[in-house]
Amino acid sequence: MAQPKLAVIYYSATGTVHAMAQRLTAAGEKAGADVRTRQVDELAPPEAIASNPAWAAHVERTKDDPRARAGDVVWADAVLFGSPTRYGNVSSQLKQFLDRLGPQWQQGLLADKVYAGFTASMTAHGGQESTLLALYNTIHHFGGILAAPGYTDPLKYADGNPYGVSHVTGGANNTPLGDPQLAALDHLAERVVRIAAKLNA
């Protein structure tokens, strides 16, 4: 059986979604996948970034990290997309990346892959589920195989999101990922890798 290839592609402003992506990377590797982790390009103007110290610090910390390109999605057997919630939708940074995959979509290069998503918001009802559902509209157009976690493990009753994995930052408190979120991220990565491996068997 060929080693499944997992791409973790995300946007993170202040580092929460970045931390989620790192956890997914580790879990994917533990599950036996070859993993590429890529953040999409930043679009915000420098003055906007500078106005938020946490945002500016994250940009500085990750400035040399490899950036996502269309080839990373084409390469993968499974893709996990991550974005903070923006008014109940994905961030413009991730949306632009998705919108620019038109040539690959037209060639059928995005179809028949396993997809799922992860997100974070400031508040418990800040649009996490609608963000993931909005993301999945794109996956349907890809012809992708959506592997949302549902309640396929009892741990999902602790994190409570059947659409993917989400985290509440608490705004300025910037609450770190807790055990329920970490376990849910591990489960999500293991699930998509396992399904991708079965499809490639």
Side-chain angles (χ1 to χ4, degrees):
M1 183 184 297
Q3 182 183 28
K5 300 186 290 289
L6 171 65
V8 181
I9 296 177
Y10 69 99
Y11 173 70
S12 185
T14 60
T16 299
V17 177
H18 175 81
M20 298 173 80
Q22 295 301 308
R23 182 73 179 203
L24 289 165
T25 298
E29 290 174 343
K30 185 176 179 181
D34 181 6
V35 185
R36 287 186 188 177
T37 306
R38 303 286 190 267
Q39 185 166 205
V40 300
D41 292 328
E42 179 61 82
L43 303 178
E47 58 269 23
I49 296 170
S51 70
N52 182 330
W55 193 357
H58 178 69
V59 168
E60 178 63 25
R61 280 195 306 271
T62 61
K63 65 182 180 181
D64 296 324
D65 289 357
R67 298 295 157 177
R69 297 294 179 258
D72 297 314
V73 182
V74 173
W75 166 85
D77 301 309
V79 183
L80 292 170
F81 286 121
S83 171
T85 289
R86 294 291 184 263
Y87 304 112
N89 211 327
V90 298
S91 65
S92 59
Q93 290 86 347
L94 182 62
K95 187 63 166 61
Q96 185 195 65
F97 176 82
L98 296 171
D99 288 348
R100 293 174 65 184
L101 295 175
Q104 292 74 30
W105 167 75
Q106 289 179 324
Q107 297 174 66
L109 298 176
L110 309 179
D112 302 330
K113 300 176 184 292
V114 180
Y115 295 91
F118 57 104
T119 188
S121 65
M122 289 177 59
T123 61
H125 300 287
Q128 297 176 346
E129 293 180 353
S130 63
T131 296
L132 292 172
L133 290 171
L135 169 65
Y136 295 160
N137 287 333
T138 301
I139 304 310
H140 293 310
H141 282 263
F142 286 175
I145 300 166
L146 186 57
Y151 293 99
T152 52
D153 188 285
L155 63 84
K156 291 302 296 179
Y157 291 96
D159 98 292
N161 191 335
Y163 302 97
V165 179
S166 56
H167 176 60
V168 178
T169 67
N173 296 329
N174 203 18
T175 305
L177 298 169
D179 289 341
Q181 290 76 39
L182 295 172
L185 290 164
D186 291 347
H187 174 255
L188 183 66
E190 292 160 3
R191 176 173 162 78
V192 299
V193 168
R194 183 176 69 252
I195 293 171
K198 286 183 177 180
L199 290 171
N200 290 337

